[in-house]
Amino acid sequence: MHFQDKQPEFDFAFVDADKSSYKHYHEQLLKLVKIGGIIAYDNTLWYGLVAKEVDDEAPEPLRMVRTVIMEFNKLLSSDPRVEISQISIGDGVTLCRRLC
């Protein structure tokens, strides 16, 4: 095998980007982060709105992203390829340790 044929492996990745693309980033990063490596997703508590009933007082853009983040959190919690821990630092960070 030549060096250029080997897929790069990373120990850690941090994602703070377009929230509606988090699912896509997750699938791509599982190919790049080595087993035992960590993927960190920022803003997974989304101003605390993911833990509340629908908040009609929140601006519409916040409510729309709230739904996307809630779906992403559900995906992570049911993904057998990762072990997760959600941390309430700032706007929430979810750490995923790749298992397989």
Side-chain angles (χ1 to χ4, degrees):
M1 179 186 323
H2 294 88
F3 178 73
Q4 64 264 22
D5 296 333
K6 185 167 174 23
Q7 178 76 22
E9 288 187 335
F10 297 93
D11 295 318
F12 180 80
F14 180 79
V15 180
D16 183 14
D18 174 39
K19 307 311 178 221
S20 62
S21 296
Y22 269 24
K23 291 178 187 180
H24 173 73
Y25 302 145
H26 184 64
E27 290 304 319
Q28 295 303 311
L29 285 169
L30 285 174
K31 297 173 187 173
L32 296 173
V33 173
K34 68 183 184 179
I35 293 174
I38 302 293
I39 306 168
Y41 294 99
D42 200 17
N43 307 116
T44 54
L45 292 177
W46 201 245
Y47 303 98
L49 294 176
V50 298
K52 294 182 177 183
E53 295 290 326
V54 176
D55 187 356
D56 292 333
E57 294 181 17
E60 181 62 27
L62 290 181
R63 290 196 309 258
M64 291 179 356
V65 176
R66 172 189 179 267
T67 302
V68 169
I69 294 293
M70 289 176 69
E71 290 171 2
F72 180 67
N73 287 341
K74 185 182 283 190
L75 174 120
L76 289 181
S77 70
S78 65
D79 189 340
R81 302 169 296 176
V82 295
E83 177 180 60
I84 66 169
S85 179
Q86 194 168 54
I87 304 167
S88 62
I89 294 172
D91 200 18
V93 174
T94 298
L95 301 177
C96 302
R97 184 171 67 94
R98 183 176 168 210
L99 300 175
C100 58

